[in-house]
Amino acid sequence: MSDFEMPTLMMVSHGNSGNGGDPAGDLARSVAADWNGPVSHGYMRSNPSLPDQLASLKRSGHAERLIIFPLFFSEGYLVFEELPRDLERAGLGDAVVLPPALNLPGFDDLVASKIRAAAANRRWRLDEMSVFLVPHGLKTLTAPLPETVRFARQVQGLCAGPEICIGNIEGKPSLADWRDLSTHKKTLIIPMLAGGGTHAREDLPELISARDGEEIEILDPIGQWPELPGLVLDEAGRHVARLAGMAVPLGPTGGDIWAERMARSA
């Protein structure tokens, strides 16, 4: 099988900190060995920019069969409005866009398993823990995003026992108020962040402001979890069909995008 039989798989994220953080690039490198085709990445608010990367893929002939994974933990404007618009402007409106990380099949099970593992490692009972899901949030938020609330309920259903709370990096409820938002003394922090940039390294510890004697466990940002590439590859694989020796991305209708493209142009 040649490297070009599989579609191009592209990771897209919000941005990198410019200070050692490259979450989309890190994820692309993690999946490359197990994806028998081109792998790329781009950012919507930093470099390499998504439009520039799409143009580069077109020049190299690797954009005709394109699958995009949005490394996001929300369902906001960037994923459902700006990303499709950038693809349309690049003439790639029929690229396959996978669900954002928050909605990947198996993602809720993964988070629940991490909670159980952290509890076992610290020898904490689940029913004596408060677990904080910590998304980036928005400065304008006065309440958690609906998708974060929904996800918290999913995790609660899979991991009965711990108290599941939400504390945003930006906006309300703020992680800075975690002591008032929770009822237990043993606290597990799950950063719903793409990588280990400024938010993870500086903002998170500042917001937590741990005191002597407090029992706090902070997991790595989810975008750095070694299990995430497998979930991405599984979902990308579900959107590929082999037709006449060629791997073709399946669009939202379940048909191959080349056939749909030809039908539109007929």
Side-chain angles (χ1 to χ4, degrees), residues 97 109 198 231:
V97 180
D109 287 307
T198 301
L231 295 183

Side-chain angles (χ1 to χ4, degrees), residues 4-244:
F4 303 104
E5 285 185 326
M6 289 294 279
T8 297
L9 181 56
M10 185 178 195
M11 310 298 153
V12 175
S13 188
H14 178 275
N16 59 58
S17 66
N19 189 22
D22 185 19
D26 290 341
L27 185 57
R29 287 182 284 273
S30 293
V31 304
D34 297 308
W35 183 259
N36 199 17
V39 175
S40 182
H41 73 281
Y43 292 98
M44 303 186 75
R45 291 293 182 271
S46 56
N47 292 315
S49 74
L50 175 61
D52 287 349
Q53 292 294 82
L54 292 174
S56 177
L57 288 174
K58 290 183 73 173
R59 287 193 299 270
S60 65
H62 292 159
E64 283 294 298
R65 298 177 297 131
L66 180 61
I67 297 176
I68 302 277
F69 171 63
L71 180 53
F72 287 84
F73 300 95
S74 68
E75 300 172 348
Y77 167 82
L78 290 177
V79 176
F80 289 102
E81 295 186 39
E82 186 169 324
L83 174 57
R85 187 175 67 230
D86 284 348
L87 290 169
E88 288 285 350
R89 286 175 175 169
L92 299 170
D94 54 3
V96 174
V97 180
L98 302 180
L102 184 77
N103 296 337
L104 277 177
F107 182 67
D108 51 0
D109 287 307
L110 172 60
V111 172
S113 72
K114 289 285 188 176
I115 293 172
R116 289 190 290 268
N121 184 58
R122 293 293 294 256
R123 298 184 179 180
W124 292 348
R125 296 197 324 268
L126 289 174
D127 62 2
E128 64 180 3
M129 292 171 57
S130 292
V131 176
F132 272 87
L133 303 177
V134 185
H136 182 280
L138 298 165
K139 292 180 180 178
T140 55
L141 285 180
T142 58
L145 289 171
E147 58 264 36
T148 312
V149 174
R150 184 188 69 236
F151 183 71
R153 289 173 179 159
Q154 290 172 225
V155 173
Q156 183 79 72
L158 293 167
C159 193
E163 175 185 44
I164 307 295
C165 308
I166 298 169
N168 295 307
I169 299 288
E170 295 184 357
K172 299 293 184 180
S174 171
L175 182 62
D177 300 321
W178 67 272
R179 293 179 184 86
D180 298 324
L181 296 170
S182 59
T183 58
H184 297 305
K185 299 300 182 184
K186 296 175 173 59
T187 304
L188 178 66
I189 306 290
I190 302 180
M192 299 179 72
L193 301 171
T198 301
H199 286 313
R201 290 185 291 101
E202 299 178 13
D203 297 339
L204 201 68
E206 182 178 337
L207 289 167
I208 295 169
S209 188
R211 300 168 184 167
D212 289 344
E214 289 182 326
E215 295 186 87
I216 305 170
E217 177 83 7
I218 305 174
L219 299 187
D220 291 335
I222 294 178
Q224 295 183 330
W225 289 3
E227 300 88 352
L228 184 61
L231 295 183
V232 175
L233 288 166
D234 286 347
E235 182 64 11
R238 280 191 280 269
H239 288 262
V240 172
R242 295 193 175 280
L243 301 173

